């Protein structure tokens, strides 16, 4: 995905930064692990986080009780929703 969209995830100046979580440590720390679905051990719920200078400014989660993966209605984590959340955090500062 990063390659297709010409994002160099090794460059900290990029707008989007890709970070691996092979042991699900970050996923578990955020309480985002999907435990509801059999066979998807260690998988992460669909979410988007806006982080600025190491501080979480906004977090959106698409997962619901009836849709733990967040795939049926990902609207909370779609770009326009996340951009709106980012703009709201800027308005508060």
């Amino acid at each position: 995905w990063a390659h297709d969209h010409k994002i160099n995830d090794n460059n900290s100046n990029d707008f989007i930064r890709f970070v691996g979580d092979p042991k699900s440590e970050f996923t578990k720390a955020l309480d985002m692990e999907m435990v509801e679905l059999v066979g998807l051990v260690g998988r992460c719920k669909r979410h988007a986080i806006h982080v600025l200078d190491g501080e979480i400014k906004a977090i959106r989660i698409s997962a619901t009780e009836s849709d733990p993966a967040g795939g049926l209605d990902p609207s909370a984590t779609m770009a326009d929703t996340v951009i709106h959340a980012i703009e709201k955090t800027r308005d508060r500062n």
Side-chain angles (χ1 to χ4, degrees):
W1 190 91
H3 177 76
D4 290 345
H5 293 278
K6 297 177 178 53
I7 296 170
N8 176 6
D9 64 305
N10 292 323
N11 183 347
S12 63
N13 294 322
D14 283 335
F15 182 71
I16 297 174
R17 186 114 193 244
F18 291 89
V19 181
D21 187 23
K23 296 181 182 176
S24 299
E25 294 167 322
F26 187 67
T27 299
K28 290 174 185 173
L30 290 175
D31 196 26
M32 290 289 178
E33 185 177 21
M34 282 194 295
V35 294
E36 298 88 348
L37 299 177
V38 176
L40 292 177
V41 177
R43 293 294 303 263
C44 194
K45 296 177 182 179
R46 184 184 304 264
H47 68 281
I49 305 174
H50 170 57
V51 179
L52 184 62
D53 296 328
E55 181 181 343
I56 294 176
K57 298 291 189 174
I59 186 164
R60 297 293 178 262
I61 305 166
S62 287
T64 63
E65 190 174 315
S66 61
D67 179 23
L72 297 177
D73 181 12
S75 59
T77 55
M78 299 298 282
D80 56 342
T81 306
V82 175
I83 289 169
H84 180 70
I86 292 169
E87 289 170 344
K88 285 177 65 175
T89 64
R90 288 182 182 162
D91 291 344
R92 285 185 258 167
N93 295 329

